[in-house]
Amino acid sequence: MEALDEYLGPPVVLEDESDSSDCSSRKRHKSKLPLAKSKLPLAKPMCVEAHVENSFQKTCRICLEHVREAMLHHRWQEAAEYMASYTQVLEDRSTVKAQPDKELVWRMSTEILHHLPNATVTDYNIIYERMKHSGFKHYLMICLEHSFHLMLHGDIEAAKHQVSIAESWRHGKESVSQLQRIRLIHAYRSLLDYIMWCEKKSTLSNDNPFESDSQGMHTFFRLASTNLQEILKNPGVWDPFILCYVEMLEFYGDNEEAQKVLNHYAYDNSFPPNPNAHVYLYQFLKRHDTPDKKLMKVLKHLQVLVPSHELMLTYSCLLLQSEKESHTQKALGVLLEMLDFQCWRSNLDVWKCLHAVIHQLLQREERATSVQTQMAVRNDWWPALHFTSFHAKKDLEENSELFEVKASLVEILCPGQSPRYTAEMQMLTS
Amino acid sequence: MDEEDTDGYKEPCNQCAAVDWGISDEGRFYCRSCHNVIERTREVVDMSFTSNSNRISRIGNKSRIRKSERGYIWMLCEGFQFILQNQADALLRLGVAPQFKDDVLCQMWRLYLQKSQQGYTRNPIRNLRFRGAALDSDTDMDSAAESVLSDNFTDSGSVLCSSAGSNAESSSDWLGSDYSSTGTSASWKRSRSLMTMKKTLALIHLALVWSREALTLSDLLRLVKEGHVPYVTAYEDLPEEMKLCGPDALLFHVESIPSHRSVHKEAQVLVQFLQLPAFPPIIPEALLHPAPLSLRYLTDANLPDELHRWVCVLMDRAGMADQKRHTLDGGLRPVLPRYDLQAAALIIVTIKVMFGLDDHTEWDLSNKADSHDDKADMFSFRKWYKLVQAALVEAQQRRDQDTARKQWKGKKLFFVDKRDRLIVTKRRRISENVQMCLKRLSSCPVAVHYGGASSFQFCWGDENGSDGPSLHHTKLDGVISLSNGFMTPLNLNYWHPPLRPCNPRTCASHYPSMEPTLPRSFVWLLQLFSFMLDVEAWYLFDEVLEMERRVFGIKTPQIGQQVETRKWLRTEKTNATQTGDPVKKPRTPRKGRNGINI
């Protein structure tokens, strides 16, 4: 979840503060630093000496270098040894550096634990608990990561306990960053509620479908839904959460609410553009046998965001089935745009669909002008993308049916080009 | 109210390891930092009669004792006296002569107390606030002071009692009340005589020089670094009664081992401050004299013993055989010599004379030595370089790892007040827990275990665990020629870095800017010796330059140095360019004059 450099470097905000004061000292020490070290991109923010570095800080700096070195080379035992002596940095009396140090200790020790074969849950708990209480700044983040860790190890109860502790935690005025984190924590708590709801559901359906423990299940639903309802109003990407919410709503038959939520998630302009939102809406509508017209509307929006999406094949099929002329035109556009992308190049279904569309168009108009107008912008690069002799050879080898479909379309799509694609065929047959 | 009740309960919280207990309305204990409620409830005990009855206070009748403070009221210098005493004891255990402690260090300490007006004076420094209260006890001060003078460190109890008695009664300069409350000029004056941890080392160094012990300053600092002499956690050894509190307690808090340069400077200042009389002469037999000291460094660096003769020749040439040059005399020669650096610089200059160290001559000479019939017994620079380089790299890595693993925090917590104690205890708990957890998983001792104290960094010989075969017995025949009954080095060239006007007051060392242009073998040799002495390379380089000036008779490193150099070059009858780099100097009759007559 976190990028690697976040483990290794202090947070960006803190860098800015220290940079100005370190400039002079860095210059001063430059000649003494080995060249190789200063070239390492990671080394910069960490290794800058404080203006007056005492022996204790020097020890810590060198120790940290050793830890990092060992971690980068996957010598985890050694890293753990050095890390054990690095913890004395937590006892540093100067308070300026304390925050980044704490974060370093927390992140690096958990990372080391991940790689030690004999690490137990107790060890993780010790580190998470101790670091959590070492200062208030990282409290929420550590709580959250702690519960992630527990979640990964399948201890949902404990994970939920952790998140609920974090949920009820307050320190001073709520700053912006704290607010964000609290929101995240609420979201994950609801996710855990959902997981427990699912567990209840499966036991209910498997063991004894007639037992009426639906009360407990419903409690989880209520807990989760109240939170999720609030959270999903905030702009952001809430993909896993909205899926849970929708699933629960559907289970209880509240389709209207589910559709409302999904619609809001997909079409509210304050949310960041999110293709998944449209996909979820489409899948929901599909599940509930919504007429094709509505489905096409959703897919139209998705097409704007991701023209190469796999649902576009469905979209063009839907367009083709409606048999309206404007829709056939649209289908042509969609398919051509799909084929602009490398990933669809040798997909038989797409080419077949394109074949069908073009034939339908040719039945209506003699010269297929619409094809030509669409192809006008592609004429200079499509032959190189789809119709070289190399492609011909490859298609023939892999899928002769694809070759045939493509060969039949060359003349219409790229008229006037030297027929290298079909020439291959002639060469082979002769 | 809570604090009184929770004061006795010092167990860390299970949840967050903090020791910050509060009592809820129901009388239950809860942790204030994580709100964890524990089983314990408030004990209803009548605290009124237990509060201070068993806390013995020496001067309990004085009203200025705060009730909450336990134990004695004591002065800064008493604390430092204890630390000095522990340090001296540690040195005695390492084999320093017993006279060092009682006859030398003790006297110097008394002198210091007197000069800084902290003791042995009619009018000791005192806090202005308490002057009135203190005056009445002045009468019995003389007797107290005399009793101290007749005592010595060995029976420490009596020293503490008498000095503490005299000091505490005659002045109220007690910890935590003093150094902040005086005026600017006074505090400036005080700050010069204010005792610091660094000053303890400077004082010990002076005492060692006085008693002509074989411990140089770099040795002392190494002993400190390796923990043989208490320094970093010296505060732990203070007696139970001496509690550190208040901002001045930070004077005892050490997070750094001072550099060779700073301690030397401090010692130099102390010499002037104490107005010490002439030191006992450093005779050639004394181990601080460059002759025996250079032999020691030659052995450590695995250089042939034969080289020592040449070092002595050069020493004569530099006029350094004279014992007066090494003896500190308050009036005539108030400069404290840097014995270790001098000896190392002498060796470097000797090697430079013998082998050229211009990245060509030394390798040519080794080729010659390697092709010699009697190869095994001949000293070859190349062979030596390969051997020592491997050991040096290994030792450097070892030192680097030891630095990384060094634990700076003592077992006892260091805090200055109650609030600080809470914070420090909590931090210690957290750090300890995380450490324990990682230690258990890595199953390896964390702390650095230095072996026994040794004067040598390397070990050469055939025995197990040595850094390589010994070259001490090898002959220098390959680099020496015999002409007219004089032994002279084969090498005829000597280079010198470019000379330029330089004001020593404003200029820092030129080594960083000069380093890339210097021959690699010379730089390597500097690194080797700066590693052995554990000083920075530039510091040793400056000493080498100084030594060259002395050997080749350049008077002073002042502005207009160039002119003098020209003069020097002329007298040496060279045809080298004046500021040429490197200055080539043909062999001069000087070598012949000083050559060893066989």
Side-chain angles (χ1 to χ4, degrees):
Chain A
M1 155 140 204
E2 302 286 344
L4 177 69
D5 53 359
E6 209 168 316
Y7 281 103
L8 298 169
V12 189
V13 196
L14 292 148
E15 256 176 55
D16 295 344
E17 297 170 353
S18 54
D19 256 0
S20 56
S21 63
D22 282 333
C23 241
S24 55
S25 66
R26 203 187 297 174
K27 251 180 233 159
R28 231 186 54 204
H29 289 281
K30 214 174 182 176
S31 57
K32 287 173 195 168
L33 270 176
L35 263 176
K37 239 171 231 174
S38 60
K39 269 179 191 165
L40 272 174
L42 285 170
K44 263 181 197 162
M46 309 280 307
C47 296
V48 281
E49 282 101 321
H51 196 66
V52 188
E53 187 194 51
N54 64 31
S55 308
F56 170 66
Q57 284 157 353
K58 189 181 163 203
T59 291
C60 289
R61 176 173 57 82
I62 294 177
C63 193
L64 185 61
E65 277 169 24
H66 276 93
V67 177
R68 254 179 31 195
E69 190 82 7
M71 283 175 79
L72 285 173
H73 290 96
H74 291 257
R75 299 191 299 260
W76 298 104
Q77 283 286 337
E78 192 187 324
E81 281 161 32
Y82 280 116
M83 198 65 212
S85 52
Y86 183 67
T87 52
Q88 63 176 326
V89 79
L90 295 174
E91 293 181 58
D92 195 354
R93 287 186 72 86
S94 65
T95 46
V96 193
K97 269 189 85 241
Q99 280 309 321
D101 285 342
K102 278 175 196 164
E103 194 174 352
L104 275 178
V105 171
W106 154 47
R107 288 195 187 279
M108 289 174 97
S109 0
T110 46
E111 184 64 24
I112 289 170
L113 284 195
H114 285 322
H115 291 89
L116 288 177
N118 49 351
T120 59
V121 184
T122 338
D123 297 320
Y124 280 102
N125 284 349
I126 287 174
I127 291 191
Y128 279 122
E129 284 297 330
R130 293 297 176 258
M131 295 318 295
K132 201 187 286 177
H133 291 286
S134 70
F136 63 90
K137 281 217 173 126
H138 301 304
Y139 187 91
L140 292 176
M141 274 318 281
I142 300 180
C143 270
L144 202 54
E145 295 232 343
H146 192 181
S147 75
F148 286 164
H149 175 80
L150 292 167
M151 251 188 260
L152 278 174
H153 287 75
D155 197 349
I156 302 294
E157 289 280 346
K160 195 181 162 202
H161 179 66
Q162 278 305 322
V163 182
S164 342
I165 290 174
E167 219 176 5
S168 57
W169 182 83
R170 286 285 174 282
H171 191 281
K173 286 179 189 169
E174 284 184 18
S175 63
V176 179
S177 64
Q178 217 170 317
L179 198 71
Q180 291 278 6
R181 273 168 203 168
I182 286 172
R183 214 174 269 164
L184 254 183
I185 279 166
H186 283 309
Y188 277 102
R189 222 241 21 222
S190 317
L191 192 70
L192 285 164
D193 281 330
Y194 161 76
I195 291 171
M196 289 164 120
W197 179 82
C198 283
E199 275 173 5
K200 272 266 158 64
K201 196 175 86 173
S202 64
T203 51
L204 221 60
S205 54
N206 287 345
D207 301 345
N208 190 359
F210 304 107
E211 201 192 316
S212 60
D213 194 26
S214 58
Q215 197 59 41
M217 203 171 131
H218 200 260
T219 319
F220 284 122
F221 165 67
R222 255 205 340 271
L223 278 172
S225 63
T226 37
N227 252 331
L228 284 171
Q229 213 170 4
E230 280 307 303
I231 286 157
L232 294 174
K233 280 179 190 158
N234 298 302
V237 179
W238 302 107
D239 289 355
F241 306 101
I242 202 159
L243 281 179
C244 309
Y245 190 41
V246 168
E247 194 193 327
M248 287 191 289
L249 287 173
E250 277 183 288
F251 182 82
Y252 290 107
D254 195 355
N255 291 338
E256 269 171 48
E257 172 69 13
Q259 192 174 353
K260 206 182 101 194
V261 169
L262 282 168
N263 265 325
H264 177 74
Y265 191 49
Y267 296 123
D268 195 308
N269 282 332
S270 59
F271 279 64
N274 184 357
N276 283 345
H278 299 279
V279 176
Y280 298 153
L281 183 59
Y282 168 80
Q283 284 164 348
F284 175 81
L285 293 174
K286 182 101 195 201
R287 276 199 297 274
H288 294 95
D289 301 325
T290 322
D292 288 355
K293 208 174 162 189
K294 275 193 174 166
L295 289 179
M296 284 196 280
K297 202 184 135 210
V298 177
L299 289 174
K300 192 177 147 196
H301 279 101
L302 182 61
Q303 205 263 336
V304 174
L305 287 174
V306 191
S308 66
H309 199 279
E310 53 194 358
L311 279 175
M312 289 308 109
L313 196 59
T314 329
Y315 181 38
S316 46
C317 286
L318 283 175
L319 286 169
L320 200 60
Q321 276 160 27
S322 70
E323 298 202 338
K324 262 198 220 167
E325 192 182 343
S326 62
H327 279 179
T328 321
Q329 295 277 1
K330 225 183 258 174
L332 176 70
V334 169
L335 285 167
L336 289 179
E337 266 190 63
M338 269 177 100
L339 285 169
D340 284 347
F341 290 89
Q342 172 95 14
C343 48
W344 294 109
R345 211 170 54 186
S346 49
N347 189 299
L348 181 63
D349 294 335
V350 182
W351 284 104
K352 265 187 174 168
C353 198
L354 184 64
H355 189 261
V357 167
I358 285 175
H359 274 269
Q360 210 173 81
L361 283 172
L362 282 176
Q363 279 166 17
R364 281 185 206 140
E365 42 188 319
E366 272 300 300
R367 298 191 45 79
T369 42
S370 51
V371 178
Q372 273 154 26
T373 44
Q374 291 269 19
M375 281 305 294
V377 283
R378 297 187 170 88
N379 252 333
D380 47 346
W381 57 281
W382 263 48
L385 185 69
H386 293 295
F387 303 121
T388 62
S389 47
F390 169 74
H391 287 125
K393 209 189 274 174
K394 203 174 142 222
D395 290 342
L396 259 178
E397 269 170 29
E398 286 168 6
N399 195 348
S400 55
E401 200 186 348
L402 175 69
F403 177 79
E404 274 161 33
V405 177
K406 270 173 93 174
S408 68
L409 287 173
V410 175
E411 207 36 53
I412 308 159
L413 288 172
C414 306
Q417 300 282 335
S418 55
R420 262 174 295 171
Y421 193 78
T422 42
E424 184 73 20
M425 178 68 171
Q426 282 152 16
M427 235 170 70
L428 282 173
T429 45
S430 66
Chain B
M1 155 117 189
D2 272 10
E3 276 171 28
E4 280 172 25
D5 290 329
T6 58
D7 212 25
Y9 189 60
K10 287 282 168 279
E11 288 298 306
C13 167
N14 285 334
Q15 282 277 329
C16 67
V19 183
D20 190 6
W21 297 105
I23 292 179
S24 62
D25 294 338
E26 300 99 48
R28 302 195 61 159
F29 276 51
Y30 70 94
C31 174
R32 282 190 202 162
S33 63
C34 69
H35 303 287
N36 177 30
V37 181
I38 57 163
E39 288 295 304
R40 195 183 171 88
T41 51
R42 175 168 51 187
E43 289 165 38
V44 187
V45 182
D46 186 8
M47 300 290 278
S48 57
F49 67 91
T50 50
S51 59
N52 272 328
S53 58
N54 55 352
R55 293 169 189 176
I56 303 156
S57 217
R58 165 178 290 279
I59 13 184
N61 54 344
K62 295 274 162 67
S63 59
R64 60 175 179 270
I65 303 165
R66 289 224 316 265
K67 282 277 185 284
S68 61
E69 297 297 336
R70 258 184 296 184
Y72 298 100
I73 287 175
W74 52 283
M75 294 172 53
L76 274 183
C77 58
E78 282 179 274
F80 282 113
Q81 182 166 320
F82 262 107
I83 286 170
L84 268 176
Q85 194 186 327
N86 285 330
Q87 287 171 338
D89 284 337
L91 284 172
L92 292 196
R93 277 198 298 278
L94 289 169
V96 173
Q99 299 91 290
F100 156 77
K101 186 180 166 192
D102 294 336
D103 299 349
V104 186
L105 184 62
C106 183
Q107 295 300 332
M108 277 191 187
W109 175 240
R110 280 181 195 150
L111 197 61
Y112 170 79
L113 288 180
Q114 193 174 30
K115 293 280 182 198
S116 61
Q117 296 189 313
Q118 295 182 57
Y120 308 113
T121 165
R122 286 200 164 276
N123 187 23
I125 289 171
R126 65 189 63 188
N127 193 320
L128 291 170
R129 268 185 297 168
F130 300 127
R131 185 182 288 257
L135 268 176
D136 52 3
S137 62
D138 266 6
T139 41
D140 55 79
M141 210 207 78
D142 276 9
S143 56
E146 263 157 40
S147 76
V148 176
L149 279 167
S150 59
D151 280 325
N152 56 32
F153 269 172
T154 314
D155 41 357
S156 56
S158 67
V159 172
L160 174 73
C161 289
S162 48
S163 73
S166 69
N167 287 326
E169 277 168 44
S170 57
S171 82
S172 44
D173 174 26
W174 64 290
L175 193 70
S177 67
D178 185 17
Y179 295 108
S180 47
S181 60
T182 41
T184 8
S185 64
S187 71
W188 177 81
K189 207 173 162 188
R190 189 83 54 76
S191 71
R192 295 193 61 185
S193 59
L194 174 63
M195 196 65 196
T196 58
M197 286 301 284
K198 188 159 77 178
K199 229 173 238 180
T200 61
L201 291 184
L203 206 65
I204 283 180
H205 174 54
L206 281 182
L208 283 170
V209 171
W210 183 289
S211 44
R212 295 183 283 190
E213 284 293 338
L215 278 174
T216 61
L217 181 51
S218 53
D219 292 330
L220 178 66
L221 289 176
R222 196 174 63 236
L223 291 176
V224 165
K225 195 172 273 182
E226 293 176 1
H228 297 298
V229 173
Y231 184 73
V232 175
T233 54
Y235 70 89
E236 287 187 313
D237 301 327
L238 291 179
E240 196 57 36
E241 298 88 348
M242 298 172 97
K243 293 270 181 244
L244 292 168
C245 64
D248 282 345
L250 286 173
L251 279 172
F252 295 96
H253 187 247
V254 180
E255 283 199 324
S256 201
I257 286 169
S259 66
H260 187 286
R261 185 159 152 267
S262 67
V263 178
H264 180 264
K265 213 164 137 192
E266 192 77 58
Q268 185 70 60
V269 171
L270 263 183
V271 169
Q272 256 132 36
F273 179 73
L274 300 180
Q275 292 167 345
L276 291 173
F279 274 51
I282 305 286
I283 46 173
E285 288 75 36
L287 284 165
L288 278 180
H289 191 272
L293 202 57
S294 60
L295 187 60
R296 183 187 134 189
Y297 290 140
L298 282 179
T299 313
D300 201 7
N302 204 12
L303 284 161
D305 297 335
E306 235 178 63
L307 205 60
H308 190 237
R309 276 197 289 184
W310 295 93
V311 173
C312 290
V313 168
L314 216 69
M315 197 166 66
D316 278 339
R317 166 81 199 167
M320 285 181 52
D322 185 9
Q323 63 187 44
K324 275 196 194 119
R325 197 175 258 285
H326 308 295
T327 311
L328 191 87
D329 187 332
L332 300 169
R333 195 179 288 279
V335 182
L336 181 67
R338 289 174 287 214
Y339 300 100
D340 36 7
L341 286 173
Q342 264 180 9
L346 250 180
I347 293 173
I348 291 176
V349 174
T350 312
I351 293 178
K352 215 168 140 188
V353 167
M354 306 283 287
F355 294 93
L357 288 191
D358 53 6
D359 281 347
H360 297 292
T361 319
E362 67 271 23
W363 306 122
D364 290 343
L365 286 170
S366 349
N367 287 341
K368 220 175 276 176
D370 287 340
S371 61
H372 203 273
D373 307 330
D374 192 14
K375 213 162 99 180
D377 277 349
M378 290 292 252
F379 178 77
S380 148
F381 189 85
R382 178 174 289 118
K383 199 166 134 201
W384 174 72
Y385 167 78
K386 279 183 182 162
L387 200 62
V388 177
Q389 166 69 3
L392 177 65
V393 168
E394 209 170 286
Q396 250 160 354
Q397 267 173 5
R398 214 160 40 223
R399 187 181 282 179
D400 204 37
Q401 282 171 5
D402 288 350
T403 318
R405 289 202 169 139
K406 188 170 169 63
Q407 295 290 303
W408 288 85
K409 304 294 172 184
K411 288 193 179 62
K412 262 194 205 170
L413 290 177
F414 183 92
F415 48 84
V416 292
D417 54 29
K418 212 168 177 183
R419 202 179 145 267
D420 195 35
R421 189 183 65 189
L422 292 179
I423 298 170
V424 171
T425 318
K426 183 176 166 184
R427 280 188 191 155
R428 166 60 60 91
R429 278 276 148 191
I430 290 171
S431 141
E432 251 177 13
N433 275 308
V434 175
Q435 192 178 51
M436 282 301 290
C437 174
L438 288 163
K439 247 194 225 177
R440 195 170 54 239
L441 292 173
S442 63
S443 63
C444 183
V446 169
V448 188
H449 291 294
Y450 293 103
S454 164
S455 310
F456 295 102
Q457 301 281 330
F458 300 106
C459 170
W460 306 105
D462 300 325
E463 64 261 42
N464 243 350
S466 71
D467 289 298
S470 152
L471 298 179
H472 297 136
H473 61 280
T474 47
K475 303 250 179 315
L476 284 173
D477 294 352
V479 291
I480 291 167
S481 72
L482 195 68
S483 59
N484 302 335
F486 290 113
M487 269 168 49
T488 45
L490 277 175
N491 171 42
L492 305 179
N493 298 326
Y494 193 88
W495 60 266
H496 191 278
L499 299 161
R500 54 183 163 191
C502 161
N503 185 356
R505 282 190 191 175
T506 53
C507 278
S509 175
H510 297 294
Y511 181 69
S513 60
M514 224 185 260
E515 196 261 352
T517 62
L518 294 172
R520 291 297 95 189
S521 50
F522 175 71
V523 172
W524 177 79
L525 197 66
L526 269 186
Q527 278 167 356
L528 171 66
F529 276 93
S530 57
F531 174 80
M532 276 162 54
L533 301 181
D534 201 7
V535 294
E536 295 97 335
W538 65 264
Y539 193 43
L540 184 58
F541 179 71
D542 288 357
E543 191 69 32
V544 170
L545 288 187
E546 179 73 33
M547 188 57 66
E548 281 175 333
R549 275 186 207 111
R550 257 191 234 157
V551 172
F552 304 124
I554 312 168
K555 290 279 177 333
T556 41
Q558 289 296 323
I559 304 176
Q561 192 186 37
Q562 235 173 1
V563 183
E564 288 199 32
T565 320
R566 222 174 282 151
K567 208 160 67 192
W568 169 64
L569 288 169
R570 223 182 299 127
T571 54
E572 300 290 342
K573 292 196 177 59
T574 75
N575 51 2
T577 47
Q578 287 131 6
T579 52
D581 175 23
V583 178
K584 300 267 182 180
K585 180 174 66 63
R587 196 175 92 220
T588 61
R590 178 166 48 84
K591 281 282 173 284
R593 268 208 312 274
N594 294 319
I596 297 159
N597 205 339
I598 305 283

